[in-house]
Amino acid sequence: MSRPRAKLTGNFPGCPVESTLSFLDGKWKGVILYHLMNEGTLRFNGLRRHIPSVTQRMLTKQLRELEEAGLISRKVFAVVPPRVDYALTPLGLTMQPVIAALKAWGDAHVICKDGEKRMVSPDEIIEPLAAA
C-alpha cells in the first residue's frame, strides 16, 4: 500500500509547487485557512459552523495536520466544558496570498448556483465584456 502524499514530504525531488501543495493537501485545509484568515481565532465548533459539510473526525484530522505543519496554533483552555481555540501562526499568515489567489480564481471561474457547481470558461467571461 502506498503512503499518502502528505507523508512523503521528505522524499520530494525539490519541486516547490509539489512541496507547497503537500501542506495544503486535503479537501478542507485551504478552507480552514481561509476562514481563519477572515475570522481570526476560531473555536472548533465555530469552524464546524463555517464548514457544515465536514465531519467532526475529518475536521480534527485536518486541524492536526495543519498544526503539525506549523500553519495553525491550537490553544487549550483548562475549563469545563473544554475550550480549544485555533489561530494562524506567523507562518500560516504567509499563506494569505495563496488562499486569496484561490478565492479570486474561484470568484472568476466557478459558479455555484441552485445546488449546482460549474466552471466558467474564459470565453464566457470575455463575451459579456465584448457585448458591453
Side-chain angles (χ1 to χ4, degrees):
M1 178 184 263
S2 65
R3 292 187 293 168
R5 188 171 65 189
K7 304 295 182 198
L8 299 174
T9 55
N11 298 328
F12 285 132
C15 172
V17 173
E18 188 175 8
S19 297
T20 302
L21 285 174
S22 73
F23 295 107
L24 294 176
D25 192 20
K27 183 174 182 176
W28 304 107
K29 288 181 186 174
V31 179
I32 292 167
L33 291 173
Y34 171 76
H35 288 298
L36 289 174
M37 285 175 190
N38 283 338
E39 303 294 326
T41 301
L42 287 171
R43 293 184 188 175
F44 184 85
N45 283 330
L47 282 165
R48 291 262 338 248
R49 279 190 289 278
H50 284 289
I51 316 168
S53 53
V54 69
T55 64
Q56 182 172 340
R57 180 176 183 222
M58 183 54 69
L59 181 58
T60 300
K61 180 179 184 275
Q62 302 276 277
L63 286 167
R64 285 183 184 154
E65 290 176 10
L66 286 167
E67 183 183 11
E68 185 181 314
L71 297 174
I72 65 170
S73 64
R74 178 179 187 261
K75 185 172 182 180
V76 181
F77 295 89
V79 294
V80 177
R83 177 178 151 204
V84 180
D85 285 351
Y86 294 93
L88 292 171
T89 62
L91 180 62
L93 286 170
T94 65
M95 294 294 286
Q96 192 160 6
V98 176
I99 301 300
L102 288 170
K103 181 188 181 311
W105 189 90
D107 287 342
H109 298 285
V110 180
I111 295 176
C112 296
K113 193 174 181 181
D114 300 326
E116 184 182 334
K117 178 173 62 175
R118 70 178 185 91
M119 302 281 285
V120 178
S121 71
D123 297 336
E124 292 178 73
I125 296 169
I126 294 171
E127 285 178 19
L129 295 176

